[in-house]
Amino acid sequence: MRTTAIMRRRGAALLAAGAGAALSAPWVARAQQGQYRPEYKMSVVGNRPIPFAEGAFIWADLVTQRSNGRINVKVYPGSQLVGGDQTRELLAMRQGVIDFAVLSTINIAPQVREASLFQLPFLMPDHRALDALITGEVGRDIFGVVERREVVPLAWGENGFREISNSKRPLRTPADLRGLKIRFAAGNIFKDIYEALGANPVQMSFADLQPALSTGAVDGQENPINLFLAFRMDTLAQKHLTIWNYVNDPLIFALSKQVWSSFSAADQQLVRECAEEAGKQQIALTRKGLGAPGTDRASLEELQKRGVEVAALSAEEKRAFAAATKPVYDKWASTVGAELVRKAEAAVRSAAA
């Protein structure tokens, strides 16, 4: 009987302890939520002064300042957290190596097929078309896909329309590309596009691009004009540049779901607002000097000062490139998803109306 009484007392004590633990669980969760890390790591391709990287620094500074250092974000430029391999940033976020990132849709497209929408050749003729996509239903759909990858997207940015340069000759027709070795960042769609145009595409990280251009390992590359100017590609034998707006590279300001969930609701709102503000500033920087509505033509004039031969294609010339790459467009449209592409095409038509 003595043994039975002792067991009953122990059982009651255990039940009481269990109840206390259950009652304290929400408090524990809140306490853990408030225990922020000394530093949060943000990854971005490239470095200042290109607008792509500036967007990351702006976001990090806004979050750090407005949280009074409670959320201390440090930028690691040049994709250094993934050894310079920009295509691994999304995976690294899911693995906990990266906390925040400004992601290129080109770089995440191999893992998020819907992001290849923006690389469909000649889908978006201008910034109005791009804005119609990222601010509408299409943008929301893609954010939903990204969030299912354990990454929380908060705002859109823009790396810019990707124009093509080379060291050999002006490019005004598909035939002009024949035989040229052209570097691309990531994604088999680019391989297909350049092969359809008769070129020899070479995949290469941005870190390896400059030495490859300087040694002639590749003849040309495709990147936004602001990046071409910032990295003095005119000094790397890139004397011919064609403005054809064949694809754009929208950016996604995002953080890992694990980090997002660790923040209080108020801090989540703070981080989101900072991302949206940084995204707007970053887009403005990207479009500056290109003659877009509300901007000057300083970047285009700088190209001329540096002796770069610029070929701005007419609508008819662009149609010739679009026709040559139509089989690639159709092939990849099925990969992206017929319904998403249908929505995108409708949005582009409405923007042009």
Side-chain angles (χ1 to χ4, degrees), residues 21-87:
L23 288 171
S24 67
W27 180 89
V28 171
R30 287 194 297 270
Q32 290 175 340
Q33 192 176 57
Q35 293 173 357
Y36 292 177
R37 302 177 192 171
E39 176 188 290
Y40 292 91
K41 296 178 171 61
M42 180 184 292
S43 181
V44 69
V45 177
N47 203 346
R48 284 171 160 165
I50 63 172
F52 189 157
E54 285 288 358
F57 283 98
I58 292 169
W59 188 22
D61 290 344
L62 287 173
V63 171
T64 302
Q65 291 168 10
R66 292 182 182 176
S67 69
N68 295 316
R70 188 174 60 260
I71 305 174
N72 178 37
V73 184
K74 180 179 178 181
V75 179
Y76 289 79
S79 301
Q80 60 185 277
L81 297 175
V82 286
D85 185 353
Q86 59 218 53
T87 64

Side-chain angles (χ1 to χ4, degrees), residues 105-106 109 112-126 129-130 133 138 142 160-162 186-194 196-197 222 244-250 318 321-346 348-349:
T105 49
I106 289 175
V112 182
R113 61 182 177 83
E114 290 84 356
S116 295
L117 172 77
F118 302 106
Q119 290 98 61
L120 293 179
F122 301 98
L123 167 65
M124 303 159 290
D126 51 33
L130 173 65
L133 297 183
V138 169
I142 292 175
F161 279 103
R162 300 179 76 85
N188 286 332
I189 187 171
F190 288 98
K191 180 176 181 292
D192 290 349
I193 289 171
Y194 285 102
L197 295 172
E222 45 83 64
W244 61 345
N245 288 13
Y246 85 121
V247 301
N248 201 304
D249 182 19
K318 290 179 184 178
F321 280 96
T325 55
K326 183 63 164 56
V328 179
Y329 185 108
D330 293 340
K331 170 187 173 181
W332 281 87
S334 62
T335 298
V336 170
E339 179 61 17
L340 185 62
V341 172
R342 183 196 64 76
K343 289 181 184 179
E345 291 172 343
V348 170
R349 287 194 298 270

